[in-house]
Amino acid sequence: MNGTTGSTGSTRSTGPESPFTTDVLVVGSGPTGLLLAGDLAAAGLDVTVVERRAHGVSNMTRAFAVHARTLEMLDARGLADELVKRGRTIDHLRLFGRASLDMTRLRSRFPYVLITPQYEVEQVLEQRALSAGAEFRYGAELLSLRQDAEGVTAELRGTADAGHTTVRARYLVGTDGVHSSVREALGLPFPGVSVIRSIVLADVRLTEEPEGLLTVNGSGDSFAFIAPFGDGYYRVMGWNRKRQAPDSAPVDLAELRTIAREALGSDYGMHDARWISRFHSDERQAPAYRVGRVFLAGDAAHVHSPAGGQGMNTGLQDAANLSWKLAAALRGRTPDAEALLDSYQTERHPVGKTVLRTSGSLVRLAMAHNPLQRVARSLFTRIVASVRPASNRAIGMISGLAISYGQERGAHPLTGKRAPDLELAEGRLYEVLRRGEFVLVTPRGGEVPAPSGAICAHWKSDRRGTLLVRPDGYVAWASDRADAPGLHTALARWTGRA
């Protein structure tokens, strides 16, 4: 994965070129690119973000749900509380008219789903990136890129004046969506299928409030989904098997009302649509998230069905995984930069594959048509509604809290798992993580010396044991003993400093 060859001439490996313009070039300024740019700039690196859209042009996308694990990661950047104020929290999800998933059972500071438009997420992340010193170039698109042993040279074209510029970066990250120019320049395939076509999407006002604030149901030929934004508008999505039109076909509110009545039994008095469109949904994943010094993240790397609201959340978690690894490699804070950067693919590609599978299963259940499929949906609903472990598993996957990374043989059971927001003598863990460093948690007054490769914190209680938490909030190493045998070996492995 750490070679510099690509499948097309645009990514050919060459000799060293001109001096560097920036440390990292981020192509695409959606949520994934913005979180990545903010993290890298906060780490003291030079970051340049290029975006095809002109500045201020709204990105009217379909994302609207921010899940608990994503909120925890935003909390580690001091952004979650502000974003929560802008949206509406939902603590129960109603599936197919029967199953109700109780999000209050989540062991998190955020036991709910936050409903807020994607542009609110982007605004918060953009402000952070700008404050940290990231440079933005709007109205610029990637034409080509080429790599050498030291960095990446990208040719850009301004969409306004058609002028060409060249940017030289140590690394490049493509966060430019499903039609990624970075992925195309790398010559990477994007295998998959169109799972569902002719979905109607709108933001509307309702005369009547639905019984379940987050509601999805299907009738066989139709399914619909409703979620409140908190500002008087609701996001409504609908599909009808008998109305399969291309994305370019005209769409109006009457069509969506009809679908809602068939699937939900009511259209709840939909009116005053501020936005309405028709789209199709693909399930696709790039085979490689890294080619030499170029990375893919977010929809450039994977795209899923809209079921479960996983797309934006998965992309943001990609960025949180990659940013600290790039920072460590560029700052010389790792003994093996190539292995650490390769771990982005190792850890995140399986997550993307799992999200494709789970979101695809949900949308296929919603589309259930023949008797066997409907029996399967009824059985799934009954199990989720009545079997506690199954319900916990479902909310764990939807929220992202159940995501973990692989463990080596003999590792502590906590290794690779999400670290909860522990109460420490220095404050909450996710407040301490805002410094963007590893956090070593030890007993108060213990025998473990403060290492040079991590922030040292202490249990607030008399709890024993030692925990090393990565900058992205996952456990790098753990011990049940206060004297922490093997700690300095672990620190040297992860940070290059014992």
Side-chain angles (χ1 to χ4, degrees), residues 422-426 429 439-451 454-469 477 479-484 487-488 491:
L422 304 166
E423 288 291 338
L424 307 176
E426 294 77 11
L429 172 62
V439 176
L440 177 65
V441 183
T442 66
R444 290 180 293 175
E447 301 173 5
V448 180
I455 300 168
C456 197
H458 305 86
W459 302 111
K460 187 175 182 179
S461 65
D462 292 332
R463 185 171 174 178
R464 310 302 289 172
T466 305
L467 206 63
L468 181 64
V469 182
W477 178 89
S479 172
D480 293 326
R481 293 172 55 177
D483 57 354
L487 169 61
H488 293 289
L491 281 169

Side-chain angles (χ1 to χ4, degrees), residues 101-103 105-106 390-401:
L101 298 180
D102 183 1
M103 308 302 282
R105 298 210 306 267
L106 292 172
S391 177
N392 288 342
R393 177 66 177 168
I395 63 176
M397 292 304 300
I398 290 172
S399 67
L401 299 186

Side-chain angles (χ1 to χ4, degrees), residues 191-396:
V193 297
S194 291
V195 63
I196 184 170
R197 306 189 65 84
S198 198
I199 304 172
V200 180
L201 195 70
D203 292 349
V204 303
R205 291 188 181 276
L206 302 181
T207 303
E208 308 167 36
E209 188 171 277
E211 178 183 350
L213 291 180
L214 197 59
T215 300
V216 61
N217 201 10
S219 65
D221 284 329
S222 299
F223 77 79
F225 172 92
I226 297 180
F229 279 121
D231 61 355
Y233 278 88
Y234 288 75
R235 169 61 53 87
V236 183
M237 180 174 65
W239 173 84
N240 184 285
R241 190 184 308 277
K242 298 176 181 177
R243 171 63 169 158
Q244 296 294 288
D247 292 354
S248 57
V251 59
D252 57 29
L253 196 53
E255 181 178 349
L256 189 56
R257 287 193 189 106
T258 300
I259 295 172
R261 285 194 295 267
E262 292 177 358
L264 303 174
S266 172
D267 64 15
Y268 301 101
M270 295 180 195
H271 62 281
D272 291 341
R274 63 182 175 187
W275 177 60
I276 187 167
S277 71
R278 190 190 307 277
F279 74 101
H280 70 279
S281 178
D282 289 352
E283 291 177 348
R284 301 184 184 278
Q285 186 178 28
Y289 287 10
R290 181 189 183 196
V291 177
R293 290 179 170 268
V294 181
F295 300 81
L296 298 176
D299 286 355
H302 47 77
V303 62
H304 328 96
S305 84
Q310 300 293 297
M312 178 176 68
N313 291 271
T314 306
L316 288 169
Q317 292 167 40
D318 288 345
N321 183 286
L322 178 59
S323 63
W324 71 269
K325 296 175 180 178
L326 279 173
L330 286 163
R331 295 160 68 189
R333 299 280 295 274
T334 172
D336 190 341
E338 292 304 318
L340 183 63
L341 293 175
D342 276 347
S343 73
Y344 170 64
Q345 162 87 14
T346 303
E347 293 181 344
R348 292 305 300 172
H349 195 274
V351 172
K353 187 175 182 179
T354 297
V355 172
L356 254 73
R357 184 172 62 248
T358 55
S359 63
S361 296
L362 282 173
V363 80
R364 286 171 175 83
L365 286 173
M367 294 165 62
H369 180 58
N370 65 48
L372 184 60
Q373 292 171 333
R374 294 170 119 175
V375 168
R377 183 173 72 188
S378 178
L379 180 61
F380 166 81
T381 304
R382 190 177 302 116
I383 290 172
V384 169
S386 59
V387 180
R388 187 69 171 250
S391 177
N392 288 342
R393 177 66 177 168
I395 63 176

Side-chain angles (χ1 to χ4, degrees), residues 38-240:
D39 282 2
L40 295 171
L45 300 171
D46 292 329
V47 186
T48 301
V49 182
V50 296
E51 169 58 53
R52 242 179 299 196
R53 291 176 290 133
H55 187 247
V57 174
S58 175
N59 186 15
M60 289 299 288
T61 54
R62 296 179 280 275
F64 63 91
V66 185
H67 290 298
R69 184 57 183 152
T70 304
L71 286 168
E72 289 182 342
M73 291 184 171
L74 294 174
D75 189 24
R77 292 153 178 82
L79 304 175
D81 291 341
E82 179 183 351
L83 191 63
V84 170
K85 291 177 183 177
R86 299 184 180 207
R88 183 167 182 179
T89 61
I90 304 297
D91 57 20
H92 284 75
L93 313 183
R94 188 160 65 92
L95 295 177
F96 310 122
R98 297 180 184 177
S100 179
L101 298 180
D102 183 1
M103 308 302 282
T104 65
R105 298 210 306 267
L106 292 172
R107 295 182 177 180
S108 171
R109 186 167 176 252
F110 308 99
Y112 47 73
V113 179
L114 176 67
I115 307 299
T116 190
Q118 179 173 318
Y119 61 77
E120 294 280 11
V121 179
E122 291 180 348
Q123 186 178 79
V124 169
L125 292 172
E126 183 185 40
Q127 289 172 351
R128 173 178 180 253
L130 286 168
S131 298
E135 176 192 357
F136 284 77
R137 299 188 187 183
Y138 288 93
E141 60 180 321
L142 179 76
L143 292 180
S144 66
L145 63 87
R146 57 184 180 272
Q147 304 190 52
D148 57 61
E150 303 297 328
V152 185
T153 301
E155 184 181 5
L156 309 175
R157 177 177 62 197
T159 55
D161 56 13
H164 290 207
T165 59
T166 298
V167 174
R168 176 88 171 133
R170 296 185 186 276
Y171 294 98
L172 183 149
V173 185
T175 60
D176 50 342
V178 62
H179 302 295
S180 171
S181 57
V182 175
R183 190 185 63 245
E184 182 177 344
L186 291 171
L188 284 173
F190 204 36
V193 297
S194 291
V195 63
I196 184 170
R197 306 189 65 84
S198 198
I199 304 172
V200 180
L201 195 70
D203 292 349
V204 303
R205 291 188 181 276
L206 302 181
T207 303
E208 308 167 36
E209 188 171 277
E211 178 183 350
L213 291 180
L214 197 59
T215 300
V216 61
N217 201 10
S219 65
D221 284 329
S222 299
F223 77 79
F225 172 92
I226 297 180
F229 279 121
D231 61 355
Y233 278 88
Y234 288 75
R235 169 61 53 87
V236 183
M237 180 174 65
W239 173 84
N240 184 285

